[in-house]
Amino acid sequence: MPRPHLQPADPDTNSDTSPRVLVVGAAGKTGLAVSRALAARRVTVRALVRTGARRPDVLRAGAAEVAVADLASGKGLGAAVSGVDAVYHLAPNVHPDEVGIARRVATAAVAAGVTRLVLHSVLHPHDRSMPHHLRKADAEEVVRAVVPSWTVLQPAAYLQNLLPSARQGSLAVPYSPDAPFTFVDLEDVAQVAATVLTRPGHERATYELAGDLTSVRGLAAEASAVLGHPVRAVGTDPAAWAAGPGRELPAQAREDLLAMFAAYDRRGLAGSATVLTHLLGRHPTTWAEVLRREG
Ligand SMILES: NC(=O)c1ccc[n+]([C@@H]2O[C@H](COP(=O)([O-])OP(=O)(O)OC[C@H]3O[C@@H](n4cnc5c(N)ncnc54)[C@H](OP(=O)(O)O)[C@@H]3O)[C@@H](O)[C@H]2O)c1
């Protein structure tokens, strides 16, 4: 029988008895936040990294163990999943083989006797206008088919994506600044990741994780008030993005992101805050609160 959920270690007991979770993509911005949230709940975090060069970063985020593995080839995955109680799987951003990666991670986990896996997906994965969302929808299906005890999290775009430009006074985005969005605090997402891994009742659940309805223009106005300097909202030309920062990306990643900008321009990316509010037991963290905390 799959272990339905993981009990956090008793604060008075040795950490050797605490549940052990493999965090895939641990050195990325999401993986670091999830690792911190799990470590804060006394979960033993094993960080999966592509190269040992990221070891200091994941250790600083609270990882107790580091596993080096290549998600693209699967090399090192068997050892990475061996002996853990659960896997938190997040794919590298806009990876062309996201579905293959999900299959390799899920299959390796189950082969090693690990039956609990939480998949980090995205809000509205079935949106056909965004190929990288559809790959996440397919990855969800793989996980549901392969893993006995799965949970899928579908986060909206993170508020943190906009923090550096807010600090610099210009939220310049290659889509309409008036499009509707329900950006979410990455720290709230990480708290939910830790909750579904350490509390009962989240097996076979799919949760949309979104914040309050707003727009980039609305965020700019709030940032001006909180940061005390003007923050403008500017819609830029996606072609200029493709010829500028987007030029360094692999062609498929660039095309995926251009498709995403076009979809954002047409209708934004907006969901409901109801499920996140329920899971957190409070209102999701607001942009103003994120700015005061991290600004
Ligand atoms: N950003 C958002 O607003 C948002 C919202 C919802 C969902 N998501 C999803 O969240 C996921 C994570 O996003 P993120 O921005 O946190 O990603 P990220 O910062 O790009 O991190 C991805 C990590 O994966 C590692 N990686 C890449 N290729 C690898 C390979 N072949 N083998 C092993 N590791 C490899 C990278 O290693 P290196 O450090 O060595 O490069 C990196 O540490 C993505 O799937 C994204 O779609 C993001």
Side-chain angles (χ1 to χ4, degrees):
M1 276 291 285
R3 207 170 158 180
H5 67 279
L6 311 171
Q7 287 289 348
D10 187 289
D12 299 329
T13 62
N14 186 299
S15 67
D16 284 353
T17 61
S18 68
R20 182 175 270 105
V21 173
L22 177 72
V23 177
V24 177
K29 103 170 108 173
T30 308
L32 290 170
V34 170
S35 298
R36 279 193 298 268
L38 284 168
R41 296 194 197 194
R42 301 182 311 279
V43 170
T44 299
V45 173
R46 181 182 294 171
L48 188 154
V49 293
R50 174 165 45 181
T51 74
R54 303 304 307 275
R55 178 182 288 269
D57 303 317
V58 296
L59 292 179
R60 259 197 307 278
E65 304 170 0
V66 180
V68 177
D70 181 9
L71 298 170
S73 68
K75 190 163 177 257
L77 259 186
V81 295
S82 170
V84 299
D85 297 295
V87 173
Y88 191 84
H89 176 54
L90 58 90
N93 226 345
V94 291
H95 197 288
D97 191 27
E98 172 145 5
V99 186
I101 289 175
R103 188 177 298 284
R104 276 189 284 286
V105 170
T107 306
V110 173
V114 183
T115 54
R116 181 88 180 104
L117 186 147
V118 177
L119 174 68
H120 191 94
S121 181
V122 74
L123 184 65
H124 300 173
H126 293 96
D127 187 326
R128 293 190 178 282
S129 58
M130 294 187 274
H132 73 299
H133 276 227
L134 282 183
R135 291 199 294 273
K136 280 197 165 20
D138 288 346
E140 290 186 7
E141 288 310 300
V142 165
V143 164
R144 293 189 188 99
V146 172
V147 177
S149 178
W150 52 266
T151 303
V152 173
L153 301 182
Q154 299 177 332
Y158 311 147
L159 285 163
Q160 277 76 2
N161 299 346
L162 296 166
L163 262 180
S165 17
R167 288 183 190 117
Q168 287 169 14
S170 174
L171 295 186
V173 290
Y175 50 85
S176 167
D178 297 306
F181 280 90
T182 50
F183 292 101
V184 68
D185 175 23
L186 175 55
E187 296 303 320
D188 282 355
V189 175
Q191 287 306 320
V192 170
T195 296
V196 300
L197 279 164
T198 56
R199 298 285 169 207
H202 303 292
E203 299 79 21
R204 300 170 306 285
T206 300
Y207 296 140
E208 171 172 314
L209 304 178
D212 293 327
L213 184 64
T214 184
S215 64
V216 169
R217 197 178 300 285
L219 295 183
E222 271 191 87
S224 302
V226 174
L227 297 177
H229 61 74
V231 180
R232 296 179 315 138
V234 187
T236 60
D237 181 0
W241 173 86
R247 224 174 71 168
E248 303 303 318
L249 294 174
Q252 183 176 350
R254 187 168 50 249
E255 290 308 313
D256 284 347
L257 292 174
L258 283 169
M260 181 183 85
F261 296 146
Y264 282 5
D265 193 62
R266 282 195 302 278
R267 57 172 179 276
L269 183 66
S272 161
T274 300
V275 172
L276 180 57
T277 302
H278 175 77
L279 290 166
L280 293 170
R282 58 168 169 79
H283 193 81
T285 305
T286 64
W287 173 232
E289 288 165 340
V290 169
L291 288 167
R292 285 189 204 105
R293 191 183 68 208
E294 301 178 33

